[in-house]
Amino acid sequence: MKKAFTMIELVFVIVVIGILVATILPSTKTNPLKEAAVQLVSHIKYTQHLAMVDDKFDSSRVDSADNIIWHKDRWQIVFTSSIYSDNGEAYTIFSDTQGNAVTRGDAQKSEVARNPQNSNQIMTGGYSVTAALDYRNSSFEGMKKLNIGKSYGVTSVTFGSACNSGKRISFDHLGRPFQGDQSSMTGAYTAGTQRLIVADCIITLGNGPDSVS
C-alpha cells in the first residue's frame, strides 16, 4: 500500500513554505539607499587614495609666483544637483589644476579622475555644460552610477555641521579631510581658513521617507 500526504499535511507544508518565503524574501531585497551609501564611502576613500599618492606640494614652487595656490590642486569630491545632472543628486571627483587663484573651483574634463575599472569613463555623475560632463548629453563620458539621484533614487544629500561648507571634501597628502572650496583658501594650512575636518563628518542620503547616514 502506497503512503500519500493527506490534505491536512499538504496544507500544513504550504503554510510553512509561505512563512519561510515571507521571512526570507525581505532580507534578500536590495536597499537602493544603502547601495548608494556603500558606493559613496568607497569613492570618498578612493578620493583620499588619489590625494595620498598624488602629493600636490612641489618645493620648486615655494618661491614662485604661484606658491600660494599649489594646495588648491588637491583631490576632492564635490556634490551637485543641477540641470547638468538632469536635476539628480550627483558627485564628481577631480583635482583642481586649471585656472588661477580667482577662477579655480570648478571641475574641467581634464581634471576629473578616470574610472579605474574603465579608463574611457570619467568620475562624474553630471557637472557642467561641457558635453562630456553633461549627464543629458549623448556624448556624456561620466559614470551614471555617480548620479545617485537617477541611479538610486536619492533626493537629498545633507552634510552634518562638522563638514557642511559647500558639500565638498578634499584631502591633503596625508589623507586628512578638509571641507569647503579650496579655491577660496588663502594658504594650505592658514589659521582660520584651513577647514580641516576634526569631528565626524556625517553625510545623510535621503529619498523622502527613508534615509541612511
Side-chain angles (χ1 to χ4, degrees), residues 6-22:
T6 65
M7 183 61 71
I8 293 177
E9 289 173 328
L10 284 173
V11 170
F12 179 76
V13 170
I14 292 172
V15 170
V16 170
I17 293 174
I19 293 173
L20 290 174
V21 169

Side-chain angles (χ1 to χ4, degrees), residues 58-160:
D58 183 351
S59 59
S60 67
R61 298 171 62 183
V62 172
D63 297 320
S64 63
D66 63 351
N67 67 327
I68 63 170
I69 64 172
W70 67 266
H71 60 279
K72 299 178 183 182
D73 294 352
R74 288 170 176 161
W75 283 97
Q76 58 188 286
I77 180 169
V78 57
F79 293 77
T80 56
S81 177
S82 68
I83 58 173
Y84 307 118
S85 62
D86 201 15
N87 297 312
E89 292 285 354
Y91 58 89
T92 300
I93 298 172
F94 73 106
S95 171
D96 197 10
T97 58
Q98 302 297 314
N100 52 47
V102 177
T103 61
R104 299 167 76 95
D106 290 323
Q108 308 296 318
K109 176 187 173 182
S110 61
E111 301 173 327
V112 181
R114 289 279 169 182
N115 179 1
Q117 297 178 319
N118 181 356
S119 61
N120 291 322
Q121 293 181 322
I122 54 178
M123 300 190 75
T124 180
Y127 187 85
S128 73
V129 68
T130 304
L133 303 178
D134 189 340
Y135 181 89
R136 308 163 302 167
N137 197 294
S138 60
S139 298
F140 180 61
E141 295 180 23
M143 300 168 60
K144 291 193 173 182
K145 280 197 170 183
L146 270 62
N147 191 316
I148 54 178
K150 297 297 181 181
S151 296
Y152 299 104
V154 175
T155 57
S156 65
V157 177
T158 306
F159 279 61

Side-chain angles (χ1 to χ4, degrees), residues 29-42:
K29 290 182 179 178
T30 59
N31 183 319
L33 278 182
K34 288 184 178 180
E35 288 183 2
V38 169
Q39 172 185 293
L40 177 55
V41 169
S42 174

Side-chain angles (χ1 to χ4, degrees), residues 162-176:
C163 54
N164 62 0
S165 176
K167 294 177 72 172
R168 70 171 75 197
I169 300 173
S170 59
F171 295 91
D172 69 4
H173 67 289
L174 296 178
R176 294 177 294 192

Side-chain angles (χ1 to χ4, degrees), residues 36-50:
V38 169
Q39 172 185 293
L40 177 55
V41 169
S42 174
H43 285 157
I44 289 176
K45 289 181 178 179
Y46 183 61
T47 306
Q48 182 186 46
H49 165 75
L50 289 174

